[in-house]
Amino acid sequence: RETTKSQEMYHAWQEQEERIKMEQEREEPTTSSSSPPPPTKPSTGVAVVRTLVQQTRLELEQREQQQEQRAALERQAQRTLQSAARQGHPAACVTLGNDCVERAAQVVT
């Protein structure tokens, strides 16, 4: 994921550099090919960083929503298992017992 982000950032930077060069060539046609390349605008880096920040925030929001949905589903499943165990379903009792053992093992480790 980080590699993909780095590649996206690099490609965005390259595209921005190309746009700047094209704009500068339109504004000032160069007469000699040996002139040094014009300096890049600081806004190039700012635009790339701004885009990455927006993408990262969006991904974090999506991840939080998924975690909330998962937690809600787990709570619902737990309530359903407890209800089934109260009704005398042996498989529900075993599942609840296994869940308790797993949670206890996670706390110990």
Side-chain angles (χ1 to χ4, degrees), residues 14-93:
Q14 280 183 329
E15 289 173 5
Q16 187 68 20
E17 288 292 315
E18 289 175 13
R19 279 189 224 129
I20 290 172
K21 286 180 184 178
M22 299 267 262
E23 288 175 7
Q24 289 174 347
E25 287 174 3
R26 278 188 234 139
E27 292 172 2
E28 299 176 14
T30 56
T31 55
S32 67
S33 60
S34 62
S35 63
T40 59
K41 295 181 182 178
S43 62
T44 303
V46 173
V48 170
V49 170
R50 192 175 291 149
T51 301
L52 288 173
V53 168
Q54 289 173 349
Q55 289 176 346
T56 304
R57 284 183 182 160
L58 180 62
E59 287 177 6
L60 287 174
E61 289 173 3
Q62 290 174 345
R63 191 177 305 150
E64 287 175 1
Q65 288 175 352
Q66 289 173 346
Q67 288 174 347
E68 289 172 3
Q69 289 174 349
R70 184 179 198 163
L73 288 173
E74 287 176 359
R75 286 191 300 270
Q76 181 181 359
Q78 195 71 6
R79 285 192 303 268
T80 304
L81 278 172
Q82 289 171 355
S83 175
R86 280 190 219 106
Q87 299 293 326
H89 294 283
C93 293

